[in-house]
Amino acid sequence: MCQESASVSPSRVFGLRSDAASSFRSESPDLVGAWQSSLYLPIPEKFGSVSCSIIAAKSSEFQVLMDCQHFSFNRTNCLCKPYQTHHLQIIGGKRQIQRRILYLQAGSRNKAISCSMKSYRLSELTQAEVDRLKARPRIDFSSIFSLVNPIVDDVRHRGDAAVKDYTAKFDKVELDKIVEYVDELPDPQLDASVRDAFDVAYNNIYAFHAAQKPVDRSMENMKGVRCKRVARSIASVGLYVPGGTAVLPSTALMLAIPAQIAGCKTIVLATPPASDGSICKEVLYCAKKAGVTHILKAGGAQAISAMAWGTESCPKVEKIFGPGNQYVTAAKMILQNSEAMVSIDMPAGPSEVLVIADKYASPKHIASDLLSQAEHGPDSQVVLVIAGDGVNLRAIEEEISKQCKSLPRGEIALKALDHSFIIFTANMVEATTFSNSYAPEHLIINVKDAEKWESFIENAGSVFLGQWTPESVGDYASGTNHVLPTYGYARIYSGVSLDSFLKYITVQSLTKEGLTNLGPYVATMAEVEGLEAHKRAVTLRLQDIEAAQIS
């Protein structure tokens, strides 16, 4: 029996999805009779009561009227033969949105997975509808703040003891100490192939970020008036490397390498401990290689709080970097506006990718790129923007279903697909315009002559050009940084770079001639603003210069 259906025929199971109250209509003119009464639609209980009436059908074409506003069915776990796909068309208002239907019959046990991405034609959407598509699934931070604030305060006042308690509560790990000095830990033993992979990634990331080193610039604006700008590293930084459902040693490299190049003196890396209290050996390898000084064996809001306030064993840091779940993000937001006097890298949210594809793009590649972000978490969002005609959407959806079925994190990817979507655009200009308004974390341009569209991109965290550039290379080893703005913040934020670990100081120096040339103008401006002391700081010096010349 199927586990997610309200009523299921022993001989046939259909998995159907719809995103709006719609009329499902066959295009065939010779509709004959009603469909067999043995046909039922499996409806998850979470959608409540959904009434469906079968009006007519011919072969794979049929009409259904639904009284629901949102109905999404992703998979069944049934006694069935391999599924077949049948074409279905949603007719809603002025839009025609294509869907797929899953057909299963009684037989051997099998898991069937269908692509549940909704699709729209951009030219037929109102501005309000486009705005709703651009808006990410929002997190209710008001309720999360109420959970995180007590943790932040507790860590501030109880330090190490509070971190140990929360680690025992949330991670089920009892720790004797929460901080390890990296140079006191033995080198972890990795398989040669794994070590080589991280070494290649390290070298590429190091090279790309080292090339970002600023050059001190000095200029003389007026005769005797010299100005310059110099860079200095942030003395102590905190790096958050998530654990949870996936260990991310690559994030350790992405954050620690630019901190190492910048010359940060104290580098604290926070990561949840394993069940035995140890540190993930791959994370430790990357930390040692990239110059991390301390490892805080904690995750979540308690780790962010420990780095922000400082504890008996954890150094206080001045800036915190790294992605995390909603509790980590909430803690960063709270602490950057607190007495902790700590800065953060950027607002962070669930991972996302927008893929622009044309008829020349491989459906297999498109599907794999979408799923590579969908598997991050159920709150990830993936968007496919189809540019022009000739794209085989059915082949793409079949590839998504096929690949998803074989993924270890397939169920997670399916949940992400629930709130993801496909947009049809007339051409690349329309496609890039939508992408700029969406401002994705990752943007893949998988079209013919992709490089010529680079100049059209204004808002994106990181861009991947051409059919041979999967987003995965940026996540791991191309050299660019994978800590990027999400939630549309790419309109105003950049991803992590060497600059993120630096601060800049301006320096000016004037000679007597310089003050003589510039001083009168400064005195006039100070007088206009009514700041007499500012004026006198100049005029008294000018008087001294004049007196020396007379004598």
Side-chain angles (χ1 to χ4, degrees):
M1 292 295 291
C2 293
Q3 299 172 349
E4 295 181 347
S5 62
S7 179
V8 182
S9 164
S11 61
R12 288 197 175 107
V13 178
F14 279 77
L16 173 66
R17 67 184 184 282
S18 169
D19 63 306
S22 306
S23 169
F24 295 79
R25 175 171 71 195
S26 168
E27 296 178 0
S28 177
D30 52 342
L31 298 174
V32 287
W35 194 259
Q36 302 174 21
S37 60
S38 62
L39 175 67
Y40 295 89
L41 296 176
I43 303 168
E45 292 180 0
K46 65 181 180 178
F47 292 103
S49 175
V50 180
S51 173
C52 302
S53 301
I54 307 302
I55 304 301
K58 175 188 176 185
S59 183
S60 64
E61 302 171 333
F62 59 95
Q63 176 176 340
V64 182
L65 298 178
M66 303 187 70
D67 66 2
C68 61
Q69 287 297 313
H70 184 85
F71 175 31
S72 177
F73 181 67
N74 293 318
R75 73 174 174 84
T76 58
N77 198 3
C78 316
L79 293 174
C80 57
K81 293 179 180 178
Y83 67 86
Q84 302 168 356
T85 57
H86 294 260
H87 183 268
L88 189 68
Q89 194 170 59
I90 298 175
I91 310 297
K94 61 183 180 181
R95 287 188 285 292
Q96 295 191 358
I97 308 171
Q98 292 193 354
R99 286 290 182 266
R100 295 295 178 270
I101 187 166
L102 189 64
Y103 177 80
L104 304 172
Q105 286 186 327
S108 60
R109 190 172 184 84
N110 188 32
K111 177 187 286 188
I113 299 176
S114 65
C115 170
S116 59
M117 294 174 70
K118 296 172 284 293
S119 57
Y120 309 87
R121 186 166 294 280
L122 185 60
S123 62
E124 297 176 351
L125 297 177
T126 66
Q127 186 58 51
E129 289 170 326
V130 172
D131 290 342
R132 284 195 292 272
L133 284 179
K134 292 188 301 182
R136 277 52 163 192
R138 291 299 173 185
I139 298 173
D140 180 13
F141 274 111
S142 59
S143 62
I144 296 173
F145 284 154
S146 66
L147 297 173
V148 172
N149 262 313
I151 297 175
V152 170
D153 292 338
D154 195 20
V155 172
R156 179 183 186 182
H157 293 105
R158 294 201 301 124
D160 285 1
V163 175
K164 290 178 182 179
D165 288 347
Y166 290 117
T167 302
K169 178 179 180 181
F170 298 128
D171 298 315
K172 311 302 180 188
V173 180
E174 300 284 348
L175 295 175
D176 293 326
K177 61 178 182 178
I178 63 171
V179 173
E180 300 281 1
Y181 291 92
V182 175
D183 59 4
E184 296 178 357
L185 296 172
D187 292 339
Q189 299 301 309
L190 303 182
D191 291 343
S193 61
V194 174
R195 185 180 63 250
D196 290 347
F198 283 115
D199 288 348
V200 168
Y202 175 90
N203 292 336
N204 287 348
I205 297 165
Y206 192 100
F208 184 74
H209 288 76
Q212 300 169 25
K213 286 183 179 179
V215 177
D216 290 351
R217 299 184 183 278
S218 178
M219 63 182 298
E220 192 174 51
N221 298 326
M222 297 175 67
K223 185 67 174 177
V225 179
R226 183 163 292 279
C227 298
K228 66 179 179 178
R229 183 174 183 251
V230 297
R232 298 289 185 267
S233 64
I234 298 173
S236 58
V237 295
L239 318 178
Y240 188 81
V241 176
T245 60
V247 180
L248 303 176
S250 59
T251 300
L253 291 178
M254 295 291 175
L255 295 176
I257 290 173
Q260 180 185 35
I261 296 169
C264 300
K265 297 177 179 63
T266 300
I267 305 175
V268 181
L269 186 152
T271 190
S275 58
D276 61 356
S278 64
I279 301 162
C280 167
K281 62 181 181 180
E282 291 84 5
V283 170
L284 178 58
Y285 179 82
C286 294
K288 290 178 77 74
K289 192 173 183 69
V292 171
T293 58
H294 303 73
I295 293 184
L296 170 62
K297 297 190 292 184
Q302 60 271 25
I304 302 299
S305 303
M307 292 189 290
W309 295 117
T311 69
E312 300 93 320
S313 63
C314 181
K316 173 181 168 37
V317 303
E318 294 166 321
K319 189 171 182 179
I320 297 175
F321 298 81
N325 63 21
Q326 55 195 1
Y327 302 102
V328 169
T329 300
K332 290 169 69 175
M333 294 168 66
I334 290 168
L335 285 159
Q336 74 167 337
N337 295 302
S338 73
E339 295 175 5
M341 289 289 290
V342 67
S343 176
I344 66 172
D345 48 359
M346 71 190 80
S351 188
E352 58 193 33
V353 66
L354 186 148
V355 178
I356 299 177
D358 64 7
K359 63 183 180 182
Y360 300 101
S362 162
K364 185 183 299 183
H365 296 170
I366 295 170
S368 64
D369 286 335
L370 294 171
L371 290 171
S372 71
Q373 289 305 298
E375 73 173 352
H376 267 295
D379 52 358
S380 298
Q381 186 171 58
V382 300
V383 178
L384 173 59
V385 178
I386 293 177
D389 299 324
V391 176
N392 189 341
L393 179 59
R394 178 175 295 186
I396 295 170
E397 290 185 325
E398 289 175 352
E399 274 295 333
I400 291 174
S401 298
K402 175 184 174 182
Q403 294 183 31
C404 194
K405 186 165 61 172
S406 64
L407 287 175
R409 296 169 65 88
E411 290 219 17
I412 292 174
L414 276 176
K415 292 176 182 177
L417 293 177
D418 272 347
H419 50 80
S420 300
F421 59 91
I422 301 168
I423 285 282
F424 292 89
T425 60
N427 49 50
M428 276 298 293
V429 172
E430 201 173 80
T432 55
T433 299
F434 177 81
S435 176
N436 283 329
S437 64
Y438 184 83
E441 176 191 15
H442 305 99
L443 169 61
I444 297 173
I445 304 180
N446 190 351
V447 301
K448 186 178 182 180
D449 300 324
E451 290 76 11
K452 76 177 186 180
W453 297 102
E454 178 188 343
S455 62
F456 285 72
I457 303 306
E458 297 178 355
N459 302 320
S462 191
V463 180
F464 304 81
L465 294 174
Q467 64 173 323
W468 306 118
T469 316
E471 185 275 332
S472 306
V473 299
D475 266 356
Y476 291 109
S478 66
T480 61
N481 207 290
H482 78 200
V483 181
L484 303 166
T486 62
Y487 263 54
Y489 281 110
R491 298 184 189 92
I492 50 178
Y493 283 91
S494 303
V496 165
S497 67
L498 182 62
D499 267 1
S500 305
F501 294 85
L502 299 172
K503 56 183 184 289
Y504 289 88
I505 303 169
T506 55
V507 180
Q508 49 262 296
S509 60
L510 277 67
T511 62
K512 288 182 181 179
E513 182 182 7
L515 186 60
T516 300
N517 292 335
L518 182 61
Y521 301 109
V522 175
T524 298
M525 294 176 71
E527 185 176 352
V528 168
E529 294 187 354
L531 298 175
E532 183 62 25
H534 280 67
K535 177 181 177 181
R536 289 182 185 179
V538 173
T539 57
L540 289 175
R541 284 177 169 82
L542 291 176
Q543 290 170 12
D544 288 347
I545 294 172
E546 185 178 355
Q549 290 173 343
I550 294 174
S551 63

